Amino acid sequence: MPKRLRRQRPESFSFWDFPALLQFLDSLDVKRSHAPALLRTLAHKLVTAGGAADCDTWEELGVTDQTLLDLGLPRKACELLTRTKPFSSRLGTAMTSADQSTCKMVLDLWDGHKVESVIMRHEDRTTICVSSQVGCQMGCTFCATGTLPMVGDLDPGEIVEQLLLAQRLEFQKGLAPVRNCVFMGMGEPLNNYD
């Protein structure tokens, strides 16, 4: 099996990385049991809020201290809104095909690397193809990613952010939500499996 390459994240983390979120809640002395409701509510706000595809602050999405208090979180949990961002990645470009059936998104990661995701729109469903790594160790000659050097694994939050950005784009265009997710983007998913 190829050696795992983890990219070392600075002290910030992707809000959507569930294990990292649990550790952050622990550091605030907030019960872990709040995490699922928190994620559901903030994901809904993120997808349905107007504005740019990716936002720098929770406030841009209409998430305030009161949002968290209404969920039953203690006031100290409000620190979450100032110490995290909705996204650690940025949507670099989104290119839609002439027939509108696909949209290729290029995401700029926190460390300057880029990955691609593709939204595939079918009559009965919308699917996103997500990346799991920056580069790939497999070296498959039929795959463009196989020619790139292996940089490292995406963390769980970076993978979830691809889905959330796709949902946000589809919602803003009035299109059907993403219902399926496949790991057929950059990287070999089973090499980034815990």
Side-chain angles (χ1 to χ4, degrees), residues 24-132:
F24 185 71
L25 291 176
D26 289 345
S27 75
L28 296 176
D29 199 30
V30 173
K31 291 180 185 174
R32 288 178 168 216
S33 59
H34 290 297
L38 179 66
L39 288 173
R40 274 193 306 277
T41 300
L42 296 184
H44 177 75
K45 289 265 192 191
L46 186 142
V47 169
T48 59
D54 45 6
C55 304
D56 287 326
T57 67
W58 289 106
E59 189 175 21
E60 290 176 62
L61 298 170
V63 177
T64 63
D65 290 356
Q66 192 60 47
T67 307
L68 300 187
L69 296 173
D70 289 347
L71 284 173
L73 271 75
R75 181 154 297 282
K76 58 189 163 192
C78 296
E79 192 174 329
L80 169 87
L81 299 179
T82 57
R83 292 189 37 202
T84 67
K85 293 180 177 185
F87 294 106
S88 65
S89 308
R90 308 273 316 160
L91 180 62
T93 58
M95 299 170 288
T96 301
S97 63
D99 67 359
Q100 305 291 312
S101 65
T102 61
C103 177
K104 177 176 151 183
M105 301 185 310
V106 177
L107 282 75
D108 300 323
L109 303 177
W110 60 269
D111 59 1
H113 291 97
K114 297 179 185 307
V115 293
E116 296 177 353
S117 301
V118 178
I119 303 169
M120 299 172 286
R121 302 176 186 115
H122 305 282
E123 248 181 61
D124 59 340
R125 70 193 178 287
T126 301
T127 301
I128 183 169
C129 174
V130 297
S131 293
S132 58

